[in-house]
Amino acid sequence: MLIAQLSDLHVMAPGRLFRGGIDTAARLKLAIDDLLAQRRQPDAILLTGDLVDRGSAEEYAALKTLLAPLAAPLLPIPGNHDARDTMRAAFAECALFADDQFLHFAADLGPVRIIGLDSLEPGRVEGRLCAERLAWLDARLAEAPERPTMIALHHPPCPTGIPHMETINLLEPEGFAAIVRRHPQIRRIVAGHVHRPIESRFAGVPCGIAPATAPQLMLDLRAESQSNNRAEPPGYVFHLYRDGDFIAHTVACGDFGQPV
Ligand SMILES: [Fe+2]
């Protein structure tokens, strides 16, 4: 079982540029072309939020066109730049989301279960999981205790060491942590939001943050660091499930020449 994770795509309406200067659609196309050239293709494509930049139907239409060459099933969750209603409509054919107000899902793929969470709080940059969403998660975990499980959400619940990002991560994660500790089948938690590849831990479980296909956050670990993006290469993660656990490979995309 191989799951590709693309995060923070920030696709914009045709002709518009991210923060006035960078073509996020071109960067996503570069990542998708790289993925399609992989000799082993993924069994599913996990999209961990900020799929588009403003949440408009026009942006989701542009996103769907860019994603069309991917053959594997799409597993999208929202980030703070997404809008629930337009995103639900854009991915209606996936028949994926639970029948409630949130864009969360539980998908069984071969031996594993992927649970996608909706940490979006409309109008806010930071994320939260309310009591209703936590109860839904607890029920999905309780119904498949033997299935090795990956949980995906946009906002990282784990420390990142980047102070200005930690103020806008998943806030008040204690309830989520208590659920994670109760369900030992959770093998890995994956997130986005930071626009950098980071490995950390949450409630005893490995927690990985994927790079963006949009511009990356410049690495600055000082207490006074500020949010600056730059056009480091777009990236994605391949999560390989083998022998009861997930192995994460982060890929940088670009033209790096022939193998030597
Ligand atoms: Fe983002």
Side-chain angles (χ1 to χ4, degrees):
M1 180 61 56
L2 181 62
I3 295 147
Q5 181 189 3
L6 298 168
S7 199
D8 295 271
L9 292 58
H10 288 268
V11 169
M12 304 187 74
R16 299 197 68 158
L17 298 175
F18 182 77
R19 298 195 176 184
I22 294 177
D23 186 345
T24 50
R27 288 176 62 92
L28 175 59
K29 185 174 186 314
L30 189 64
I32 289 173
D33 287 348
D34 188 288
L35 197 159
L36 290 170
Q38 291 282 352
R39 291 172 185 176
R40 178 167 170 184
Q41 285 294 293
D43 300 291
I45 313 278
L46 185 57
L47 305 168
T48 45
D50 287 359
L51 309 186
V52 301
D53 199 60
R54 310 274 170 92
S56 71
E58 187 181 20
E59 288 182 332
Y60 284 107
L63 168 71
K64 293 296 295 295
T65 300
L66 287 159
L67 295 173
L70 296 167
L74 301 176
L75 303 174
I77 53 171
N80 47 293
H81 283 260
D82 291 297
R84 284 199 185 104
D85 289 349
T86 41
M87 180 171 158
R88 185 185 290 275
F91 290 96
E93 81 281 4
C94 297
L96 182 70
F97 299 122
D99 189 19
D100 60 28
Q101 65 172 303
F102 300 110
L103 301 182
H104 45 197
F105 65 83
D108 292 331
L109 302 168
V112 305
R113 169 164 277 208
I114 312 294
I115 297 180
L117 299 180
D118 176 344
S119 55
L120 170 62
E121 290 283 275
R124 309 293 302 181
V125 179
E126 69 273 17
R128 274 197 176 78
L129 294 171
C130 59
E132 188 178 348
R133 282 173 276 187
L134 289 174
W136 180 90
L137 169 65
D138 203 25
R140 299 293 76 73
L141 289 162
E143 69 193 12
E146 306 297 328
R147 230 170 219 283
T149 296
M150 171 186 283
I151 294 179
L153 73 171
H154 179 69
H155 295 86
C158 57
T160 64
I162 302 174
H164 70 86
M165 287 304 298
E166 288 181 329
T167 64
I168 57 167
N169 279 352
L170 187 80
L171 301 188
E172 300 166 7
E174 297 79 12
F176 182 36
I179 290 172
V180 171
R181 289 197 184 93
R182 280 206 299 277
H183 297 280
Q185 77 268 31
I186 302 169
R187 299 292 196 270
R188 187 167 179 80
I189 299 168
V190 301
H193 192 51
V194 185
H195 293 218
R196 283 210 70 77
I198 299 170
E199 280 295 317
S200 188
R201 190 172 283 273
F202 177 73
V205 175
C207 185
I209 299 169
T213 66
Q216 313 297 352
L217 180 74
M218 281 182 67
L219 182 58
D220 184 348
L221 298 174
R222 297 174 301 158
E224 67 272 27
S225 69
Q226 310 233 327
S227 179
N228 291 306
N229 290 278
R230 67 177 176 184
E232 293 176 36
Y236 59 89
V237 183
F238 263 2
H239 299 281
L240 176 65
Y241 176 78
R242 196 176 71 185
D243 300 333
D245 214 342
F246 291 97
I247 304 163
H249 293 266
T250 299
V251 182
C253 307
D255 181 3
F256 305 123
Q258 296 299 311
V260 294

